[in-house]
């Protein structure tokens, strides 16, 4: 069953197994209580940067928190699409699911990089480590996907069947007839 799985497919599935529950939980905490969810550990650097450096008021902070939650849910949705496409063997073998994974990796890397930069600006070391680790996971998967190409479909060359000159009018050659 696992003979035709590429290393990029397994790597993407493991990333999805981490990012789908982790980022969904963070996004739903932000959706339910925007300010409280924004000041939890995965998003505290963004919250501190918005309040300290950009001096955003309450309603603007809530809108920024919802935008962050929307970005995280978009990444989760593309990882979920990737897992669904990964379950179809024909699509998995041809690399058709790599596009959904690539979009998830690109958006997720952008969010993690921005969060990491914000964490370094406000001096939040735990959040910096978290976002740097997530960014390295995403970039590592992107490198594996870029380097590993899906296997090419076998090309068969069809040759026309040879038509015997006699069209079967000659006597068949049998072993005892030699």
């Amino acid at each position: 069953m696992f003979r035709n799985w590429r290393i990029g497919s397994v790597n993407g599935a493991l990333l999805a197994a981490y990012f789908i529950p982790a980022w969904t939980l963070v996004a739903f905490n932000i959706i339910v209580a925007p300010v409280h969810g924004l000041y939890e550990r995965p998003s505290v650097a963004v919250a501190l940067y918005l309040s300290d450096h950009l001096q955003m008021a309450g309603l603007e902070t809530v809108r920024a928190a919802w935008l962050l939650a929307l970005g995280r849910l978009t990444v989760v949705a593309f990882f979920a699409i990737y897992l669904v496409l990964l379950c179809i063997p024909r699509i998995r073998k041809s690399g058709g699911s790599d596009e959904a994974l690539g979009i998830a990796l690109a958006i997720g890397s952008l969010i993690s990089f921005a969060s990491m930069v914000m964490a370094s600006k406000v001096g939040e070391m735990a959040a910096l480590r978290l976002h740097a680790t997530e960014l390295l996971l995403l970039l590592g998967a992107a490198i594996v996907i870029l380097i590993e190409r899906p296997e090419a479909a076998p090309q068969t060359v069809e040759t026309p069947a040879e038509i015997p000159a006699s069209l079967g009018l000659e006597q068949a050659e049998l072993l005892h007839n030699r």
Side-chain angles (χ1 to χ4, degrees), residues 15 109 112 116 130-143:
L15 274 177
S109 295
S112 290
M116 184 183 71
L130 172 70
H131 297 304
T133 303
E134 288 177 346
L135 181 63
L136 287 174
L137 285 170
L138 293 167
L139 291 178
I143 290 170

Side-chain angles (χ1 to χ4, degrees), residues 1 16-17 28 31 46 54 68 82 111 117 122 124 137 147 150 152-153 164:
M1 178 178 165
F28 279 127
I31 290 171
V46 177
L54 298 180
L68 178 64
Y82 171 72
I111 292 172
V117 169
V122 297
E124 186 65 37
L137 285 170
I147 290 175

Side-chain angles (χ1 to χ4, degrees), residues 43-129:
S43 304
V44 71
V46 177
L48 292 175
Y49 186 82
L50 292 176
S51 64
D52 293 347
H53 293 279
L54 298 180
Q55 287 127 12
M56 285 191 169
L59 189 58
E60 293 170 347
T61 304
V62 169
R63 288 181 183 151
W66 283 341
L67 188 61
L68 178 64
L70 179 66
R72 287 181 183 255
L73 286 178
T74 303
V75 172
V76 166
F78 277 108
F79 271 125
I81 291 170
Y82 171 72
L83 286 180
V84 169
L85 292 175
L86 200 63
C87 292
I88 304 169
R90 184 177 41 132
I91 294 175
R92 181 183 62 243
K93 289 178 193 174
S94 68
S97 59
D98 290 347
E99 186 175 340
L101 180 61
I103 294 171
L105 293 175
I107 298 171
S109 295
L110 184 67
I111 292 172
S112 290
F113 180 74
S115 298
M116 184 183 71
V117 169
M118 291 178 197
S120 72
K121 291 285 185 186
V122 297
E124 186 65 37
M125 285 300 125
L128 179 66
R129 282 188 216 103

